[in-house]
Amino acid sequence: MQKILGYIRRACQEFDLIENGDKIAVGVSGGKDSLVLLAGLAKMRRFYEKKYDIVAITLDPRFGGAETDYSPVERLCGELGVEFRLIRTDIGEIVFDIRKEPNPCSLCAKMRRGALHDAAKSFGCNKIALGHNNDDAIETFIMNLFNEGRIGCFAPISYLSRKDITLIRPLVLAPESAVISCARRNNFEIVKSKCPADKTTARQSAKEFLAKMEHDNRGVKMRIFGAMRRAGIDRWGYRGE
C-alpha cells in the first residue's frame, strides 16, 4: 500500500487534485482499481497536507436484471471508516435488453457517469474520484489515435460546469501492475463484473496491442506516456511548463 500511496500523493500534488474541505465521492465498482483507490484515499487522510472527506458510491447496473452482491465493498468501507452508498439502477436492462445496443459500452458509460454525478451531488460531494490507472491513460491515448485519428486522452482533473462537479483521477501515475500487486497483498475481495461485453471491448484490444508492443520493445508504454506529458495534452503537462 505504501507504493500506491506514493503514486496517489504525487498525482494529487502534481495535478492539484485535492483541496482543503473537499468531499470526494469515490466511484467503487468493486474491481481492483476502485478498491485500491478507495483504500488509498482513505488511508491518505491520516497524513495528507489537505484535509478532505470521502464517501464510497457503488452503482449496480443490474445486468440481466439481477442484483450484484457488493457486501465485500461494504465490509472494506467499514474497515476503512468510510461511508458506503449503494444505488441499484436499470442501466443493464436498458442497454442490453431494451435498447439491444450493438456497441453497448458508450451508452452504458454515459448512463453510469450521469447516475454517479447525480448521486455525488445528492450526497454533498464537490468532487468525484475515478480509478483510472496509468495503463488506462496510455490505452485511451492509443484508442483515440488509432480509432478516431486524434491526439487526446482523458484529463487527470476536469471540471464539469453543467454539473458543477470536478472529476479527479488520483491513480493515473500508478502502473496497473502496482495496482494488481496492492490488491493481492491486501487480500481485497474483487466483485467480478457481470457485464456481457466484458473482455470484448476496444479497450481490451488496445491493452493487448500495448502488451505485445511492450514485449517486443520494453519501455514503450512509458515512452508514450512521457510524450503525452511533454506535449501537455489535456492537462497532462509537467508543472511549470
Side-chain angles (χ1 to χ4, degrees):
M1 183 56 75
Q2 287 303 116
K3 184 175 289 188
I4 286 294
L5 286 171
Y7 285 123
I8 292 176
R9 184 173 189 171
R10 182 179 152 209
C12 288
Q13 292 173 333
E14 287 199 25
F15 302 116
D16 296 319
L17 302 186
I18 295 177
E19 298 296 337
N20 273 318
D22 281 344
K23 185 173 183 181
I24 305 169
V26 184
V28 185
S29 66
K32 66 182 188 318
D33 299 298
S34 62
L35 294 179
V36 168
L37 173 63
L38 172 65
L41 286 176
K43 292 177 182 297
M44 197 174 76
R45 290 179 300 179
R46 299 197 302 255
F47 61 84
Y48 194 58
E49 53 267 29
K50 306 287 180 65
K51 300 304 178 185
Y52 63 93
D53 196 12
I54 61 176
V55 54
I57 300 178
T58 295
L59 300 176
D60 182 5
R62 297 200 312 126
F63 292 116
E67 294 185 353
T68 297
D69 177 14
Y70 289 101
S71 57
V73 178
E74 187 171 13
R75 283 194 294 272
L76 178 61
C77 287
E79 294 169 7
L80 296 170
V82 174
E83 179 183 359
F84 174 65
R85 298 280 189 161
L86 172 60
I87 300 173
R88 306 286 186 183
T89 76
D90 296 318
I91 293 174
E93 182 182 9
I94 292 170
V95 172
F96 289 97
D97 302 327
I98 298 175
R99 294 280 296 268
K100 300 185 186 298
E101 289 287 320
N103 299 298
C105 296
S106 178
L107 177 60
C108 184
K110 182 178 180 179
M111 294 183 70
R112 284 188 289 109
R113 283 195 302 268
L116 180 59
H117 298 168
D118 291 342
K121 292 292 290 184
S122 72
F123 298 138
C125 300
N126 66 309
K127 288 182 177 175
I128 296 174
L130 303 176
H132 297 105
N133 60 51
N134 189 248
D135 287 59
D136 291 326
I138 299 167
E139 290 159 13
T140 299
F141 177 82
I142 290 296
M143 289 164 62
N144 289 338
L145 181 64
F146 289 177
N147 299 346
E148 301 180 23
R150 66 182 179 90
I151 302 294
C153 184
F154 55 70
I157 180 170
S158 54
Y159 174 67
L160 306 180
S161 57
R162 290 178 59 186
K163 294 286 187 177
D164 186 30
I165 202 161
T166 299
L167 299 184
I168 61 173
R169 295 175 167 91
L171 275 182
V172 287
L173 298 182
E176 185 175 35
S177 58
V179 175
I180 292 172
S181 176
C182 179
R184 287 176 176 169
R185 287 175 179 272
N186 288 275
N187 296 314
F188 290 152
E189 294 181 74
I190 306 300
V191 178
K192 297 293 185 182
S193 172
K194 295 182 180 179
C195 173
D198 193 32
K199 304 300 183 184
T200 64
T201 62
R203 180 169 297 280
Q204 182 64 26
S205 297
K207 185 183 293 290
E208 292 170 1
F209 169 79
L210 283 165
K212 185 179 186 307
M213 290 284 290
E214 185 70 21
H215 178 268
D216 296 341
N217 190 356
R218 188 172 179 82
V220 69
K221 289 196 292 187
M222 281 297 95
R223 290 192 290 275
I224 293 173
F225 186 63
M228 290 167 57
R229 297 212 64 184
R230 287 189 294 274
I233 62 168
D234 296 325
R235 305 190 68 174
W236 281 102
Y238 292 101
R239 184 184 291 274
E241 290 187 1

